Amino acid sequence: MKTTILTDIEGTTSSISFVKDVLFPYARRELPRFVREHGHEPDVRHWLDVVATEHGAICDDAVIAEALQGWIDQDRKHTALKALQGMIWMAGYRNRDFTAHMYPDVTPQLQAWHEAGYKLAVYSSGSVPAQKLLFGNSDAGDLSDLFCTYFDTEVGHKRDADSYRLIADTLNRSPADILFLSDVVAELDAARDAGMRTVLLDRREDYPEPRTGEDTHGHARAESFAEITP
């Protein structure tokens, strides 16, 4: 059976600046309006109540929105925030306020691997719905069907080897039969500790100073998906 390719998103398939400079500011800006207009809907209300409880039973939705904006500023990885951001981004994609950035080498290589019979999967700190939105609304069109499954931090932290072991179990593959692609060395270390093969994506747009030698921690290094052999 061919290698399963597991990829990160931010800094790997898509620029860090897209998430930092487009998605996060959009969600931050739209949060107060979104809460005002949709706070009565059950799915939204559930997550607002979660935030309210964590902040000592806040009763004012405007204050909840401010708390969520603070979490965005802190880059907090909270399930409630991720869920609400995903809902806001869905509207943004639907309204064509933006499309998701893909590095030029990513789409043709993903398509080539898929056509060659390699199974593709995603592991990102963003929620699974947000991942599907991103790949479903990319600069290159809808790429979501290229992937067999998606993983987020529900399986565990990305710097924890057990997360990668659980992913391998879920995929019904030996870790040695999975190739993990990421721009974060600590994530690659954890995947290697779990037994996976690894490649460090070292994109000049995101990392102007090349990471070579000891900085790679012994991981294979590539500046483009086209340089990777599964």
Side-chain angles (χ1 to χ4, degrees):
M1 189 180 294
K2 291 191 173 184
T3 299
T4 295
I5 301 168
L6 178 68
T7 185
D8 174 45
I9 296 177
E10 186 179 352
T12 302
T13 64
S14 310
S15 67
I16 292 173
S17 63
F18 171 69
V19 177
K20 185 179 73 168
D21 298 336
V22 177
L23 288 185
F24 283 178
Y26 183 88
R28 193 188 195 286
R29 184 177 69 248
E30 292 295 311
L31 253 168
R33 181 197 59 78
F34 180 82
V35 170
R36 284 195 309 272
E37 295 180 3
H38 301 280
H40 63 283
E41 298 171 8
D43 287 349
V44 178
R45 186 75 259 159
H46 166 74
W47 292 115
L48 295 178
D49 288 344
V50 168
V51 179
T53 299
E54 286 205 17
H55 277 264
I58 300 171
C59 297
D60 188 336
D61 279 356
V63 177
I64 295 174
E66 288 180 8
L68 287 162
Q69 288 176 315
W71 287 2
I72 291 175
D73 295 340
Q74 298 162 18
D75 194 23
R76 187 171 175 187
K77 312 296 186 187
H78 191 285
T79 303
L81 175 61
K82 289 194 292 184
L84 292 166
Q85 282 177 321
M87 296 177 193
I88 293 170
W89 292 333
M90 181 182 295
Y93 284 122
R94 185 173 58 244
N95 296 333
R96 307 303 287 177
D97 291 338
F98 48 80
T99 55
H101 173 264
M102 289 286 139
Y103 283 112
D105 56 275
V106 168
T107 300
Q109 195 60 63
L110 289 176
Q111 291 171 334
W113 285 334
H114 184 264
E115 290 169 5
Y118 292 96
K119 285 192 174 181
L120 308 177
V122 179
Y123 182 28
S124 174
S125 58
S127 69
V128 167
Q131 295 174 31
K132 291 180 177 178
L133 277 173
L134 185 144
F135 284 109
N137 296 273
S138 82
D139 296 341
D142 187 352
L143 307 178
S144 57
D145 287 345
L146 296 176
F147 300 98
C148 64
T149 192
Y150 299 79
F151 299 95
D152 58 22
T153 50
E154 289 294 309
V155 302
H157 197 283
K158 293 187 73 183
R159 301 186 182 197
D160 185 343
D162 285 341
S163 303
Y164 298 88
R165 296 185 183 102
L166 180 55
I167 286 173
D169 287 345
T170 303
L171 292 169
N172 199 28
R173 300 300 309 273
S174 165
D177 295 327
I178 299 173
L179 173 64
F180 179 54
L181 314 178
S182 176
D183 65 309
V184 180
V185 172
E187 295 175 1
L188 296 166
D189 289 346
R192 182 171 59 192
D193 288 345
M196 292 185 183
R197 295 165 52 215
T198 55
V199 172
L200 170 66
L201 268 298
D202 197 29
R203 296 191 178 278
R204 300 278 59 76
E205 296 91 334
D206 289 323
Y207 298 91
E209 292 296 324
R211 292 174 292 172
T212 58
E214 292 182 358
D215 290 340
T216 69
H217 283 205
H219 300 287
R221 176 185 174 278
E223 294 189 7
S224 162
F225 272 27
E227 300 173 10
I228 298 170
T229 302

